[in-house]
Amino acid sequence: MEAKKEEKLHIVLFPWLAFGHMIPNLELAKLIAGKGHHVSFVSTPRNIQRLPKLSQNLVPLIKFVNLPLPTVQNLPQNAEATTDVPYDVVQYLKKAYDALEEPFTRFLESSKAHWLFYDFVPFWAPSVASKFGMKSAFFSIFTISTLGFYGPPSSLMGNDSYRQKPEDFTVPPLWVPFPTTVAYRYFEIKKIFDVMSDNDSGVSDVYRLGSSIQNCDIVVIRGCTDFEPEWFQVLENIFKKPVIPAGQLVNTEFKSGEDNDRWRWMEDWLDKQEHGRVVYVAFGSEAKPRQDEVAEIALGLEKSKLPFLWALRVKRGPWDPDVLRLPEGFEERTKGRGIVCTSWAPQLKILGHVAVGGFLTHSGWTSVVEAVQNEKPLVLLTFLADQGINARVLEEKKMGYSVPRDERDGSFTSDAVADSLRLVMVEEEGRIYRETIKEVKDLFVNKERQGRYMDELLNYLLNHL
């Protein structure tokens, strides 16, 4: 057993083509390589070019494997990630990704890897790995509570008789044995209910997820058992196979000089602001508000009287015909008090600045981890995917406060935005959010704990070759 620990692993990582998936996979790759093991990170050429650069000490251990994305009808040329295309085009990206099965099989055969870590979209990957006697792990960037809420593989693959309509997802499921508020709100599940049915890729998202869990040797999950112990127990009960936490995978972004110019003028502006008073607003690489929602957010920022830095994606990729616009006169009225950045923003650096006192976010888990890392309390405004489940966990733990919304259509007012921001960042009543975010920080960023999770995971992988 001890001799085995001296062996060096070769692990293949195969994430879905969304930056909210690729970045945690890259963080996992860095941690594995940091322990002296080899990683092959498989993606498409353009995505690999867009990933943060590695520090020099990791370059020999992490090999990027370029698999050109096959051409499929209705998917624009050079669109290689969900951030490149409108929401309704993502199904064609999945179709192209499925067409990678043959080149991926050829790579895996020649890789001499020990383990394959794959995401939920390539549900066909574990059968490819087993052809070559390779073990496979479903690596979930979804949190422990999200997977616990989604349920056992049989339920996800179409054998769920009691969750048939959106309303059924607004209450905790039968397999959760403790009281909790963790469930979708009606407007959240209604917006994404299409994931339950087949799309133009031929396979539904929930089937992909269920099959990915069912056919792996182990489930490796982003998260830490100390943060969600009761949900971790749910997973062990419903998956009936080893579930191993990988830690929160805190972003250790290493950037070269090309981003410095943009950061320099932002930093210069932030340096002039009062400590803890600036609102940072960003909704990740996929969530795109509607035009009416953008107007309410803008007017809410204006009414809050707080300084703000807003990273606003006005469209999802160059082929998005629906370009978002700020309300007339907004930029003139808030000149000097706020900045709206419509291109890439260095989020980790912004959140790390002392002037930033709160984060208006979509509740994507990478953004949540970065906020906790920098002790910034959260104001929550969900849009897609697992964000509603994440938001309930953050509400329960008093780490974030959700902007009040209409339960049926999800609409909200500028007053609700302004009041929520002031509550979390300024008012005495919201002190609990400011304090709790500092208290949980150690659970997320403690290097010793993260190291322990990684050692336990790697020991398991070595001992089950």
Side-chain angles (χ1 to χ4, degrees):
M1 194 79 82
E2 287 308 307
K4 224 174 203 184
K5 286 182 184 175
E6 297 307 311
E7 277 186 44
K8 292 304 176 194
L9 289 162
H10 176 196
I11 299 170
V12 174
L13 299 186
F14 190 36
W16 165 230
L17 308 176
F19 282 93
H21 291 242
M22 289 184 274
I23 296 297
N25 269 270
L26 187 62
E27 291 305 328
L28 180 63
K30 291 180 194 174
L31 290 166
I32 293 168
K35 300 282 185 181
H37 301 282
H38 290 268
V39 176
S40 291
F41 188 105
V42 183
S43 194
T44 64
R46 190 157 172 252
N47 287 329
I48 288 170
Q49 285 168 10
R50 291 185 285 184
L51 288 169
K53 302 290 178 278
L54 295 172
S55 55
Q56 281 307 307
N57 62 311
L58 296 178
V59 169
L61 293 162
I62 300 176
K63 178 189 170 195
F64 290 106
V65 179
N66 288 284
L67 292 186
L69 195 65
T71 304
V72 301
Q73 200 173 357
N74 299 320
L75 183 68
Q77 204 175 358
N78 292 327
E80 295 185 13
T82 54
T83 190
D84 298 329
V85 292
Y87 180 73
D88 61 341
V89 180
V90 171
Q91 57 189 326
Y92 306 112
L93 192 63
K94 288 182 179 132
K95 196 172 183 177
Y97 192 73
D98 287 340
L100 283 173
E101 184 172 353
E102 193 185 316
F104 181 72
T105 302
R106 287 199 302 272
F107 159 72
L108 217 55
E109 186 175 18
S110 63
S111 71
K112 297 188 170 57
H114 301 106
W115 281 84
L116 165 65
F117 279 44
Y118 63 95
D119 212 324
F120 85 100
V121 176
F123 65 104
W124 37 264
S127 64
V128 175
S130 66
K131 275 186 202 168
F132 310 120
M134 196 182 297
K135 296 269 193 175
S136 65
F138 167 53
F139 173 49
S140 171
I141 63 99
F142 302 117
T143 61
I144 296 172
S145 46
T146 299
L147 278 194
F149 179 82
Y150 287 168
S154 59
S155 167
L156 292 161
M157 294 168 77
N159 303 327
D160 191 341
S161 56
Y162 94 100
R163 290 208 292 193
Q164 297 288 327
K165 53 189 191 299
E167 288 83 355
D168 300 333
F169 291 83
T170 61
V171 291
L174 297 173
W175 50 81
V176 176
F178 48 85
T180 180
T181 59
V182 173
Y184 282 106
R185 290 168 70 181
Y186 179 80
F187 67 86
E188 290 168 337
I189 189 64
K190 189 82 176 91
K191 191 169 183 179
I192 61 162
F193 203 63
D194 60 332
V195 302
M196 306 296 167
S197 52
D198 290 355
N199 51 50
D200 271 18
S201 75
V203 189
S204 73
D205 284 0
V206 291
Y207 184 89
R208 288 177 188 272
L209 178 59
S211 179
S212 295
I213 296 164
Q214 180 160 292
N215 295 320
C216 64
D217 292 296
I218 61 170
V219 174
V220 177
I221 191 159
R222 178 190 201 171
C224 94
T225 48
D226 303 325
F227 181 65
E228 300 180 283
E230 69 287 5
W231 282 101
F232 188 77
Q233 192 58 58
V234 169
L235 289 195
E236 292 196 316
N237 295 342
I238 63 177
F239 290 170
K240 305 193 188 319
K241 62 178 62 181
V243 182
I244 304 174
Q248 295 290 6
L249 305 178
V250 170
N251 197 331
T252 54
E253 191 174 19
F254 178 83
K255 282 283 183 185
S256 52
E258 70 249 27
D259 309 309
N260 286 345
D261 289 345
R262 187 170 304 158
W263 169 237
R264 206 168 283 127
W265 66 259
M266 286 184 181
E267 186 180 32
D268 189 48
W269 181 83
L270 285 165
D271 285 345
K272 297 183 176 77
Q273 308 305 316
E274 196 180 334
H275 283 197
R277 279 300 162 112
V278 176
V279 183
Y280 174 54
V281 185
F283 304 118
S285 59
E286 291 195 56
K288 181 191 170 192
R290 297 191 311 262
Q291 181 57 57
D292 59 316
E293 292 172 331
V294 166
E296 295 301 328
I297 293 164
L299 297 173
L301 288 168
E302 191 176 342
K303 288 176 180 178
S304 76
K305 301 279 194 271
L306 294 163
F308 61 88
L309 198 167
W310 186 358
L312 173 63
R313 291 190 70 223
V314 293
K315 56 182 186 171
R316 273 184 65 144
W319 299 278
D320 187 348
D322 181 20
V323 182
L324 298 173
R325 288 175 177 78
L326 292 164
E328 206 171 327
F330 169 75
E331 288 179 280
E332 292 76 38
R333 293 193 302 273
T334 58
K335 197 170 184 181
R337 178 159 74 80
I339 290 176
V340 179
C341 172
T342 55
S343 52
W344 181 86
Q347 178 159 297
L348 209 53
K349 288 177 176 171
I350 293 166
L351 286 169
H353 198 284
V354 291
V356 174
F359 184 11
L360 178 56
T361 173
H362 59 311
S363 312
W365 205 251
T366 296
S367 288
V368 169
V369 171
E370 291 177 358
V372 175
Q373 195 176 341
N374 291 290
E375 301 182 1
K376 308 302 183 192
L378 302 163
V379 180
L380 312 171
L381 199 57
T382 62
F383 294 100
L384 280 177
D386 56 339
Q387 294 162 15
I389 301 300
N390 293 345
R392 293 309 88 72
V393 171
L394 297 167
E395 290 161 13
E396 271 194 358
K397 293 182 181 289
K398 296 287 188 247
M399 293 164 64
Y401 175 82
S402 286
V403 174
R405 300 169 79 163
D406 181 278
E407 213 55 49
R408 300 301 291 177
D409 64 12
S411 60
F412 54 90
T413 65
S414 56
D415 286 333
V417 172
D419 292 347
S420 301
L421 291 172
R422 293 197 64 83
L423 170 75
V424 169
M425 289 178 58
V426 180
E427 289 164 13
E428 185 58 34
E429 198 188 331
R431 179 183 291 276
I432 189 162
Y433 302 105
R434 302 191 287 276
E435 289 179 349
T436 306
I437 213 84
K438 292 175 183 170
E439 288 164 13
V440 299
K441 180 179 178 179
D442 189 64
L443 284 179
F444 280 62
V445 305
N446 182 297
K447 282 189 175 162
E448 197 180 307
R449 179 183 282 106
Q450 179 64 73
R452 196 166 65 245
Y453 281 129
M454 205 41 49
D455 287 339
E456 287 170 7
L457 171 60
L458 291 167
N459 285 341
Y460 183 94
L461 299 180
L462 280 163
N463 291 329
H464 291 81
L465 289 176

